[in-house]
Amino acid sequence: MKVSEYIKAKDLNEAYELLREDRKNYIIAGGAWLKLSVKSANKLVSLDALGLDKIVVLGDSIEIGALCTLGQIETNELIKQLYDGILVQAVSSIMGVNIRNIATIGGCVMGKFSFSDIFPVLEVMDTTLVFHKQGEVSLMDFLNNPKFEKDILVKIKIKNNLGKGFFKKVAITALDFSVINIACSKTDGLFSLSVGSTPYIASPCYKAMDYINCLSDINLESIKECANKVVEEIKFSSNNRASKEYREELAKVYISRGIKQVSNYEN
Amino acid sequence: MKVVNNLTHSVDGLGILKGRAAYTDDLADKNSLIVKVLRSPHAYAKIVKIDSEEALKLPGIEMVLTHKDFSRVPFTRAGQGYPEPSPHDKFVLDEYVRYVGDEVLAVVGSDLAVCEEALALIKVEYELLEPVLDFEKAIDHKSIIHPEPEAHEMFPIGFEPLRNIAASYHMHVGDVEKTLSECDVVIEETFFTQAQAHVMLEPHTVNARMDYQERLVIYNSTQTPYHMRRIISQGLNIPLSKIRVIKPRVGGGFGGKQGIHGEMLVAYVTYKTGKAAKMVYTRKEVFESSYTRHPMKMKVTLGADKSGVLKAIDFHCLSDTGAYGEHALTVFMVVGSKVLPLYNKVDSVRFYGDVVYTNHTPAGAYRGYGAIQGNFALESAVDMLCVKLGMNPIEFRQLNMMKETETSPIFEIMGEGTAGTAMIMETCKLEECVEKGMKLIDWNDKYPSKDMGNKIKSVGMAIAMQGSGIPYIDMGSATIKLNDDGFYNLLVGATDIGQGSDTVLAQIAAEVLMTTMDKIVIYSSDTDLTPFDCGAYASSTTYVSGNAVFKAANDMLEAILVEARRILKSKEVEFDGVLFTNELGETISLIDLSNEITYSEDQKQLSVTSSYVGHKSPPPFMAGFIEIDIDKETGEVDIVNYVSVVDCGTTINPKLAEGQVDGGIVQGLGMAMFENVQYSKKGALISNSLMTYKIPTRVDINNLTTVFVDSYEESGPFGAKSVGEIGIDTPPAALANAVYNALGIRIKTLPITAEKILLAIKAKERN
Amino acid sequence: MKIKMTVNNQVKIFECEPSDYLLDTLRNNNYVSVRRGCDTTNCGVCTVLMDGKPVPSCSVLTVQAEGKQITTVEGIQEEAEKIGNYFGEEGADQCGYCNPSLALTVYAMKKELVNPTIKEVKKYLVGNLCRCTGYISQERAIMKYLGDKS
Ligand SMILES: Cc1cc2nc3c(=O)[nH]c(=O)nc-3n(C[C@H](O)[C@H](O)[C@H](O)COP(=O)(O)OP(=O)(O)OC[C@H]3O[C@@H](n4cnc5c(N)ncnc54)[C@H](O)[C@@H]3O)c2cc1C
Ligand code: FES
Ligand code: FES
């Protein structure tokens, strides 16, 4: 990456102004993805001096500063408890400790990676994002709307709910991107399901959730039906890592296993 | 034995781990000019025009080199002995580019940034030609990849460039068709293997400078410093005496650093400008623009009688050498010569086929060197035959495989590029390998498979053989000199590329000289200082170079005894490594002796040099057993354990030998399961980074159990054979066989991915 | 521009460009134990410790390391010697290209994890690729080092 200037912002306003100033100015967090994705940058704006690297509990939420590294998140005791630790599982499935010590959750979110292992998990929890200018928005708002791209992510809020969770990343080796990733949760009797790396960015499985959350009781038959609905609803395609057909099979199997796990279902 | 076959730390591991400067680029001149290659974006094209005017104006740009700067001397980059069995079909730079990643031109500048800027300013016009991307359609394709009249073979290798054939070969024993027609059970199956990448962690790199005698000094991450010197001399027309090649520590080679990479360009720049220059490949260049394993299509026909006696093997092979013909014929021949003798009791055998040019990244030497491809095909086919015979695959092998004191006619017929050498198996402990491996993997309990709910556990196996150097061709040599204070220098041309040969060769010398490792200071390799060695390939170092060291050490022993007899004035002197004693009980220590002959009386430098050429190539053998758990619903495979039982003769250094096998197994598993090679429709390599080409990580490998059987090869140093390549051969077939044993699904195209398994399960369910 | 950081407990001021990565800055200043293995942050060969934590120096801009404590294997020679001796015992050193960075990561792991299982060790070190050893001998050596309380 060719860089003309590196600036440590003194406050969020300055960072925001610098970001808006030029199309080729970027916020730099860990910089791991920037290195691979940006050929040449005008100004790189660092948020290092702004104290955005804290994980705190405020009210009924856990707040994760945008500059928290993946390493910080995976070793945090609170997050290890959250939904059986699915965020920790997802984070620790990403590459090795060395990258996780620089890659930040903010970079993961703002990158909107189609292969992201974070989004399926964030989607099955009650997650909101806090931006400098546009304030608190729902995760799905962010995903469906490009207008946040030139804002600064300050923190991520996750409701500290008691719930069960399941996360699965299928990858060719332990250092690869997902072939597919799946998250399930169950809170207050309601299932939440998400599939990512399809190879598109993770998406909640609304129809499947509607179906299964309307049932009074689940059985093998209904779990299978739910898994089929996921495949009907979500768009799967082929790429270098896997074919559409294989992804669909994996989605069915792991959605079923996820539902079973979060509902303690035994046949 | 005190040093050999005992736990000995490697001589270099600690210093390297502690971070000492050791590798080629650590030693580059800090002011080196950077040589950067513009690489072809097209699979096949003719360069019509190069406009580098703007680039040359950039401050810091020294020159732009194009094909016009080099005389049209074709050579081969294979890095083999002379005359090479590979076609001379490469120019330093050419007006044709023959694969995506081929060299178009080179810019030379003061730093990388300016070189990259220059590359962006250079305009090249191409005339696009139709590429040959499917190796099954290469022969007599309307595009000819090497139409140039200069390309030639050094001796007959079946080179037919106008038909896109780089080499071809045919051999037979008996009448295969007749034997097959008389067999009770016959199978015919076709297998495919991919263009595996070496992925040594140190990228290819070379740097050069002129010394104060106006000689060209090249630091090179290479497996073959002597061949390198010769090829550079021939290619650039620089007298051999003006070139010095130094091989520092090499960060892995696996065959990939046998061949030439940036050496010609860097050497040319330094020789021409007098300035230091260097080139370090990017990882993308390593993938796209070095070498791969030869992808192959293999059709195997096996015939047996009802009782399970294998009668005939018919083996047709089509090999893809890519854009240039490095190792085309020799890798092809090893598919047969180091695989088919495993089943030596057949009445007839045929092995034949072609090696074709395509517009893909060239293939070259890679650990296993044809044997891994052939092993996958034959050892898969054997299990398939067993299914048809209704016979246990282990019993079949026990009945049909090579045994000690036996031979195979193939040894005499097939060498590497030429005829071979007849030999009897003085050591072949395959039976013991199989038996021991069965126990270690608990075969009888686990074969063929065990249902465990979502998962199914299964085992699979394969046997393999390799060689120990190339008889009558590979030469190794060693110089030993005695220093004052009684320690020795051991100078070898043998190339340590991480396989531990410096340690193993020092151990051999220490054992003969009855001394400890700290008294042997080994140095490899420097064409000015160390004696000739063909280099690190063909599993030759321990056996060939080891024998040279063994001879040299014995010569040194004789030389110091002569001095001791003179000093002690006695005909009968005994030596225990430290002290010389005559029949009167008078003594002198080696330290005193060495000091005396260095400083005091009748001063001289004791120094000996010995060479060794093999007269046979005793094969190491092994049996490999894999245990896997397969998820029946997803096809995902866990490798639970891989048991290797190896007969490599004496293990000079048991831990390093184990490391050679372990490392080979995991590379073999990479080829078997993970390492998927993908090309775009236009012939560009898609899997051209570690992000897209996945090698096994430590999480993917749960356990390896590697053991050696007792074996002593008379012709080897202290009974040793080779162990560098044998480990890589069995994993593909063992895995394929285990998958079959679990699910009744036969995968014949590598790699065996979870996706292929699951889709095969689904297809089977539908039927 | 001038960037100040501490390398192996020595304060250093490096002249560099905003585009420079820590890997190149260190190598250009003769910390040659830090080496490159890839262009895509996949191999781990370039790993150094930044404020005690393993990071890929190929992906950290030199300016991002301003004011930080950088440790290369030259800065942990005593521990590296111990690790290296266990590697020697297990025959775990082959080409050695992966070893300085692996030693640093192992050193950091020993401080971070208490009595880890082999599974945890594998997971911690997964970002350190090795093409030579097949990993198992390395891990035998590493387990011994973790058990060494001297
Ligand atoms: C080799 C490699 C493999 C990977 N594999 C995976 C994987 O398997 N699964 C997975 O989920 N992820 C993977 N990742 C992504 C990784 O987890 C990080 O998400 C990525 O490195 C981004 O984090 P960063 O802090 O380095 O962001 P940077 O590279 O600094 O930034 C990424 C983008 O986000 C912007 N940005 C960062 N922070 C903010 C902010 N606070 N406000 C506004 N914009 C911001 C930047 O401008 C930039 O556009 C991988 C990354 C690499 C390098
Ligand atoms: S060089 Fe490969 S991860 Fe840094
Ligand atoms: S020892 Fe060669 S890469 Fe690890």
Side-chain angles (χ1 to χ4, degrees):
Chain A
M1 179 171 53
K2 234 177 131 54
V3 182
S4 307
E5 206 181 336
Y6 177 91
I7 302 169
K8 258 190 188 172
K10 283 186 271 315
D11 54 48
L12 283 169
N13 274 329
E14 187 195 0
Y16 184 75
E17 291 310 321
L18 284 167
L19 179 62
R20 309 287 289 197
E21 184 184 282
D22 184 338
R23 215 169 38 84
K24 289 185 78 179
N25 291 0
Y26 297 88
I27 299 290
I28 178 162
W33 196 258
L34 274 180
K35 177 195 167 190
L36 299 180
S37 55
V38 174
K39 268 225 160 79
S40 113
N42 190 7
K43 289 177 184 158
L44 289 184
V45 184
S46 154
L47 309 177
D48 279 357
L50 310 185
L52 299 180
D53 58 349
K54 308 279 181 312
I55 301 173
V56 292
V57 181
L58 265 185
D60 58 356
S61 294
I62 296 182
E63 300 195 357
I64 306 173
L67 259 76
C68 287
T69 64
L70 302 185
Q72 258 176 295
I73 292 169
E74 67 181 315
T75 50
N76 182 281
E77 291 304 322
L78 286 168
I79 300 177
K80 280 187 195 166
Q81 304 304 320
L82 197 63
Y83 291 88
D84 299 325
I86 46 177
L87 183 56
V88 168
Q89 288 170 36
V91 162
S92 67
S93 76
I94 298 173
M95 299 301 289
V97 282
N98 46 8
I99 294 190
R100 300 203 295 275
N101 282 330
I102 59 170
T104 64
I105 186 86
C108 283
V109 170
M110 294 307 288
K112 283 195 184 177
F113 306 120
S114 59
F115 54 78
S116 173
D117 296 309
I118 308 293
F119 283 122
V121 166
L122 294 180
E123 284 173 13
V124 301
M125 301 193 290
D126 195 340
T127 309
T128 57
L129 307 177
V130 179
F131 284 90
H132 171 60
K133 263 278 135 44
Q134 298 173 85
E136 186 165 344
V137 302
S138 80
L139 182 65
M140 293 321 293
D141 247 7
F142 165 73
L143 284 174
N144 295 327
N145 203 325
K147 74 176 177 188
F148 301 99
E149 270 158 30
K150 280 280 163 183
D151 201 342
I152 294 175
L153 180 65
V154 180
K155 61 191 170 190
I156 291 152
K157 284 169 75 173
I158 306 172
K159 277 269 169 55
N160 200 354
N161 288 339
L162 285 180
K164 304 282 296 167
F166 168 91
F167 172 74
K168 176 69 192 184
K169 167 175 182 167
V170 178
I172 292 165
T173 72
L175 276 184
D176 200 6
F177 298 112
S178 289
V179 161
I180 198 158
N181 46 34
I182 277 157
C184 306
S185 70
K186 195 175 179 197
T187 326
D188 299 332
L190 292 180
F191 290 93
S192 191
L193 310 172
S194 168
V195 184
S197 204
T198 54
Y200 310 104
I201 196 162
S203 160
C205 314
Y206 296 108
K207 288 184 184 151
M209 289 192 277
D210 282 350
Y211 166 78
I212 195 155
N213 285 329
C214 287
L215 302 175
S216 52
D217 205 9
I218 57 166
N219 54 33
L220 279 184
E221 210 44 41
S222 55
I223 293 173
K224 195 170 165 198
E225 181 57 28
C226 182
N228 285 336
K229 289 208 182 302
V230 167
V231 174
E232 280 166 28
E233 162 180 15
I234 304 283
K235 184 175 170 204
F236 293 86
S237 294
S238 302
N239 69 354
N240 303 332
R241 283 192 168 69
S243 67
K244 170 173 154 53
E245 195 185 353
Y246 183 52
R247 286 200 163 94
E248 289 177 348
E249 290 300 331
L250 287 174
K252 280 194 260 180
V253 172
Y254 281 111
I255 283 282
S256 305
R257 290 185 189 173
I259 292 172
K260 287 181 197 165
Q261 184 170 319
V262 297
S263 55
N264 293 322
Y265 180 90
E266 314 230 348
N267 31 323
Chain B
M1 283 183 278
K2 285 211 170 92
V3 184
V4 161
N5 198 229
N6 277 303
L7 175 69
T8 306
H9 289 209
S10 70
V11 295
D12 39 29
L14 186 62
I16 286 171
L17 183 136
K18 287 170 80 179
R20 310 288 182 237
Y23 301 89
T24 297
D25 192 49
D26 301 350
L27 307 172
D29 187 320
K30 286 270 178 284
N31 293 319
S32 294
L33 291 171
I34 304 296
V35 183
K36 187 85 193 148
V37 172
L38 180 69
R39 301 208 171 266
S40 170
H42 306 296
Y44 194 19
K46 186 172 178 198
I47 299 168
V48 180
K49 197 172 151 213
I50 295 173
D51 176 0
S52 44
E53 205 174 312
E54 293 301 309
L56 281 165
K57 284 187 198 148
L58 281 179
I61 287 298
E62 190 92 6
M63 56 169 93
V64 174
L65 297 172
T66 72
H67 61 93
K68 297 204 171 101
D69 294 291
F70 295 91
S71 51
R72 279 186 77 76
V73 183
F75 60 99
T76 173
R77 302 175 301 168
Q80 295 166 303
Y82 191 81
E84 297 98 337
S86 298
H88 284 209
D89 58 6
K90 179 80 176 80
F91 302 96
V92 180
L93 293 171
D94 193 3
E95 62 184 323
Y96 285 90
V97 284
R98 296 183 175 81
Y99 67 97
V100 176
D102 204 352
E103 292 129 336
V104 178
L105 53 82
V107 298
V108 182
S110 52
D111 62 37
L112 191 57
V114 74
C115 288
E116 275 167 359
E117 213 178 314
L119 288 183
L121 291 174
I122 294 176
K123 292 180 212 80
V124 183
E125 260 175 53
Y126 299 94
E127 177 193 335
L128 298 192
L129 304 168
E130 187 187 329
V132 181
L133 299 175
D134 177 351
F135 77 116
E136 295 188 60
K137 299 194 178 125
I139 295 178
D140 297 330
H141 194 284
K142 67 173 188 282
S143 270
I144 298 168
I145 297 171
H146 285 281
E148 68 279 8
E150 298 92 339
H152 63 277
E153 58 194 341
M154 302 298 284
F155 52 84
I157 58 169
F159 181 60
E160 287 183 80
L162 300 182
R163 303 186 62 207
N164 287 331
I165 296 175
S168 53
Y169 182 78
H170 178 113
M171 68 74 83
H172 68 274
V173 177
D175 184 340
V176 175
E177 268 147 28
K178 182 160 174 289
T179 315
L180 281 172
S181 70
E182 292 158 9
C183 284
D184 300 322
V185 179
V186 172
I187 61 146
E188 182 191 301
E189 298 290 345
T190 301
F191 302 87
F192 290 88
T193 59
Q194 80 275 35
Q196 188 183 19
H198 304 78
V199 200
M200 65 301 270
L201 284 192
E202 179 204 28
H204 303 286
T205 178
V206 55
N207 58 74
R209 67 196 67 170
M210 298 304 287
D211 72 7
Y212 57 82
Q213 293 183 28
E214 292 292 83
R215 292 173 75 236
L216 178 64
V217 182
I218 300 167
Y219 287 80
N220 194 2
S221 180
T222 179
Q223 296 175 223
T224 53
Y226 287 89
H227 296 336
M228 227 30 86
R229 181 179 64 170
R230 185 196 77 235
I231 299 165
I232 292 167
S233 162
Q234 289 169 348
L236 298 179
N237 203 13
I238 303 172
L240 202 62
S241 60
K242 285 270 181 205
I243 306 173
R244 173 180 181 189
V245 176
I246 297 173
K247 172 221 69 97
R249 182 52 167 210
V250 174
F254 316 120
K257 290 177 182 165
Q258 182 173 350
I260 283 246
H261 306 97
E263 288 88 344
M264 288 290 190
L265 289 167
V266 169
Y268 178 86
V269 168
T270 294
Y271 201 68
K272 177 120 187 158
T273 64
K275 296 179 191 175
K278 75 170 191 176
M279 180 173 336
V280 182
Y281 270 28
T282 62
R283 182 55 62 183
K284 183 165 175 251
E285 287 179 302
V286 177
F287 274 106
E288 283 184 358
S289 307
S290 69
Y291 305 97
T292 69
R293 195 184 285 298
H294 288 80
M296 290 183 187
K297 174 187 184 188
M298 292 162 287
K299 191 177 91 187
V300 184
T301 312
L302 300 180
D305 68 15
K306 271 193 294 248
S307 65
V309 174
L310 187 65
K311 292 287 185 192
I313 307 176
D314 192 14
F315 200 119
H316 180 266
C317 180
L318 182 71
S319 170
D320 175 1
T321 191
Y324 300 97
E326 290 86 4
H327 299 263
L329 175 66
T330 39
V331 165
F332 182 88
M333 288 182 74
V334 169
V335 175
S337 65
K338 287 179 185 157
V339 176
L340 301 176
L342 280 169
Y343 298 98
N344 60 330
K345 294 169 196 64
V346 292
D347 293 342
S348 44
V349 50
R350 179 165 65 181
F351 177 79
Y352 64 113
D354 303 291
V355 190
V356 297
Y357 285 118
T358 62
N359 293 104
H360 280 153
T361 297
Y366 189 166
R367 188 186 213 172
Y369 204 81
I372 182 171
Q373 292 98 318
N375 196 279
F376 170 61
L378 185 66
E379 285 293 89
S380 295
V382 161
D383 265 39
M384 298 174 86
L385 179 68
C386 290
V387 172
K388 208 160 172 191
L389 279 164
M391 192 166 172
N392 180 308
I394 290 208
E395 280 164 24
F396 179 90
R397 287 181 175 83
Q398 286 167 331
L399 181 66
N400 290 292
M401 71 194 182
M402 173 78 83
K403 311 225 164 63
E404 202 154 84
T405 71
E406 293 180 357
T407 186
S408 158
I410 293 171
F411 293 130
E412 191 173 351
I413 300 170
M414 298 178 79
E416 280 192 31
T418 54
T421 311
M423 55 181 172
I424 305 274
M425 298 299 97
E426 313 279 356
T427 46
C428 171
K429 309 289 180 198
L430 251 183
E431 287 176 283
E432 211 180 317
C433 293
V434 170
E435 238 165 74
K436 218 172 190 165
M438 284 174 74
K439 285 207 188 89
L440 286 167
I441 201 101
D442 201 1
W443 181 271
N444 289 337
D445 183 50
K446 291 171 186 155
Y447 174 79
S449 65
K450 279 190 154 178
D451 202 325
M452 308 192 300
N454 272 346
K455 291 193 174 178
I456 183 160
K457 175 182 289 302
S458 74
V459 286
M461 64 89 65
I463 56 175
M465 59 179 284
Q466 198 80 34
S468 301
I470 310 169
Y472 298 99
I473 293 181
D474 288 347
M475 188 266 273
S477 53
T479 297
I480 301 181
K481 96 190 159 76
L482 175 70
N483 298 285
D484 47 333
D485 210 30
F487 72 99
Y488 307 92
N489 287 112
L490 169 59
L491 306 174
V492 291
T495 322
D496 197 321
I497 53 168
Q499 83 282 44
S501 65
D502 281 354
T503 304
V504 163
L505 297 177
Q507 280 179 271
I508 292 172
E511 188 71 43
V512 174
L513 291 163
M514 298 171 284
T515 187
T516 46
M517 287 290 279
D518 56 317
K519 295 278 188 282
I520 308 280
V521 178
I522 182 157
Y523 180 65
S524 76
S525 334
D526 177 332
T527 55
D528 270 8
L529 305 180
T530 55
F532 185 90
D533 191 289
C534 56
Y537 56 84
S539 290
S540 61
T541 304
T542 300
Y543 184 76
V544 176
S545 310
N547 263 323
V549 170
F550 185 80
K551 270 173 78 179
N554 277 301
D555 291 351
M556 174 50 77
L557 200 54
E558 198 39 56
I560 49 179
L561 279 168
V562 168
E563 296 303 319
R565 286 186 207 114
R566 179 180 60 78
I567 293 168
L568 292 176
K569 300 192 177 55
S570 163
K571 280 204 171 117
E572 293 295 310
V573 170
E574 303 226 314
F575 180 50
D576 64 1
V578 179
L579 219 56
F580 300 91
T581 314
N582 70 7
E583 64 272 37
L584 300 173
E586 293 166 329
T587 63
I588 182 170
S589 68
L590 177 64
I591 294 179
D592 290 343
L593 177 141
S594 65
N595 288 338
E596 189 172 322
I597 63 172
T598 310
Y599 297 113
S600 321
E601 223 191 289
D602 197 10
Q603 289 96 318
K604 59 178 66 106
Q605 171 67 62
L606 284 193
S607 171
V608 298
T609 297
S610 303
S611 311
Y612 182 84
V613 186
H615 299 300
K616 60 180 195 168
S617 177
F621 292 92
M622 77 166 276
F625 295 77
I626 194 171
E627 176 183 339
I628 55 172
D629 290 345
I630 305 187
D631 189 315
K632 283 186 274 186
E633 293 181 314
T634 68
E636 289 167 283
V637 175
D638 284 335
I639 306 162
V640 179
N641 192 12
Y642 202 100
V643 170
S644 311
V645 189
V646 183
D647 162 16
C648 62
T650 302
T651 50
I652 304 283
N653 187 316
K655 284 287 178 188
L656 291 183
E658 189 179 329
Q660 284 303 299
V661 176
D662 285 2
I665 294 295
V666 171
Q667 265 177 30
L669 286 169
M671 172 150 165
M673 276 181 76
F674 305 110
E675 298 178 24
N676 208 357
V677 179
Q678 294 175 314
Y679 288 99
S680 73
K681 283 204 181 74
K682 292 190 163 166
L685 193 63
I686 298 169
S687 44
N688 63 0
S689 75
L690 281 169
M691 197 117 96
T692 46
Y693 185 91
K694 303 319 289 187
I695 64 169
T697 75
R698 63 182 74 242
V699 168
D700 303 299
I701 305 298
N702 287 301
N703 196 29
L704 304 171
T705 307
T706 300
V707 296
F708 297 92
V709 294
D710 273 341
S711 167
Y712 191 94
E713 169 63 37
E714 275 304 330
S715 67
F718 294 107
K721 298 190 274 189
S722 82
V723 71
E725 293 185 273
I726 181 88
I728 206 168
D729 295 336
T730 56
L735 177 68
N737 291 341
V739 168
Y740 180 85
N741 292 339
L743 302 164
I745 285 166
R746 176 57 63 177
I747 309 243
K748 295 184 282 187
T749 301
L750 295 182
I752 300 169
T753 59
E755 168 159 359
K756 279 186 198 155
I757 294 171
L758 187 70
L759 297 184
I761 295 173
K762 292 285 155 195
K764 197 176 167 202
E765 278 171 9
R766 278 194 296 271
N767 288 333
Chain C
M1 63 200 294
K2 288 195 165 31
I3 296 293
K4 189 166 157 183
M5 65 183 80
T6 308
V7 184
N8 301 331
N9 292 322
Q10 284 185 329
V11 176
K12 291 277 173 183
I13 296 170
F14 296 129
E15 182 58 46
C16 70
E17 300 290 321
S19 315
D20 288 352
Y21 279 96
L22 184 58
L23 168 62
D24 302 306
T25 301
L26 289 171
R27 275 193 78 76
N28 289 337
N29 286 281
N30 274 321
Y31 295 97
V32 291
S33 70
V34 190
R35 300 189 178 95
R36 181 189 296 282
C38 70
D39 323 313
T40 49
T41 330
N42 287 88
C43 71
V45 164
C46 63
T47 302
V48 299
L49 305 185
M50 186 156 84
D51 291 343
K53 293 200 171 114
V55 299
S57 65
C58 68
S59 300
V60 174
L61 289 167
T62 306
V63 288
Q64 287 178 290
E66 179 156 37
K68 308 267 190 200
Q69 301 268 349
I70 301 298
T71 311
T72 70
V73 80
E74 287 92 338
I76 59 157
Q77 288 287 293
E78 259 176 54
E79 292 301 306
E81 174 112 15
K82 280 193 211 164
I83 297 169
N85 279 321
Y86 287 117
F87 270 55
E89 237 168 66
E90 292 300 334
D93 30 32
Q94 289 194 30
C95 85
Y97 202 72
C98 64
N99 280 351
S101 52
L102 180 60
L104 280 166
T105 315
V106 167
Y107 169 79
M109 175 175 69
K110 191 171 182 177
K111 295 199 158 172
E112 196 176 322
L113 304 184
V114 189
N115 295 327
T117 62
I118 181 73
K119 255 205 149 114
E120 288 164 331
V121 166
K122 277 178 173 289
K123 198 155 173 26
Y124 193 97
L125 299 174
V126 69
N128 292 80
L129 287 176
C130 174
R131 189 58 156 172
C132 299
T133 61
Y135 301 114
I136 301 297
S137 56
Q138 288 184 342
E139 285 153 14
R140 279 198 306 261
I142 289 164
M143 292 312 273
K144 282 190 181 170
Y145 168 70
L146 293 178
D148 179 344
K149 305 291 182 212
S150 68

